[in-house]
Amino acid sequence: MDGADAPKQGAHRAIAAARAAGTQLVLAGPVQPGQEAYFHSEIEPHIDGSNVIFTGEVGGVRREELFSRAKAFLMPISWPEPFGMVMVEALACGTPVIAFPRAPRARL
């Protein structure tokens, strides 16, 4: 995904949803090459270390800890996701998943 597609990741929607819900948001994952400008202009200004936290890419035990302590896992992407492994990982930790209905449409 290139920089023009970065908003499809939905981090800005996650921030807005967390604010509307009055809950803390932990953003985890890398800033992909080509998405730096979007991150710096649309995401970084909201990171305050309290209400919006950015952890960068996480895996292993740290990912399990984040999932197991989360109220929910928010997947605000806006592209047809063929299979979201991260959603399965969240569910395996007992974390509810909130996502948009963006799966590919079945062709009959």
Side-chain angles (χ1 to χ4, degrees), residues 9-108:
Q9 296 270 357
H12 61 289
R13 285 189 297 277
I15 292 168
R19 283 206 173 129
T23 192
Q24 183 184 66
L25 176 68
V26 177
L27 293 168
V31 177
Q32 299 291 340
Q35 297 180 2
E36 297 88 353
Y38 164 75
F39 180 82
H40 293 306
S41 67
E42 302 297 323
I43 307 307
E44 199 168 44
H46 302 284
I47 298 169
D48 61 11
S50 179
N51 295 312
V52 179
I53 299 167
F54 177 67
T55 66
E57 191 168 10
V58 297
V61 172
R62 178 69 177 135
R63 182 184 302 192
E64 291 171 16
E65 289 171 352
L66 287 172
F67 280 146
S68 66
R69 286 190 267 152
K71 293 177 186 176
F73 175 72
L74 182 59
M75 186 73 160
I77 62 172
S78 63
W79 73 84
E81 175 66 54
F83 184 79
M85 181 59 84
V86 69
M87 291 184 274
V88 174
E89 292 171 335
L91 290 169
C93 290
T95 305
V97 172
I98 302 167
F100 294 126
R102 296 295 302 201
R105 293 194 172 129
R107 295 188 180 142
L108 304 173

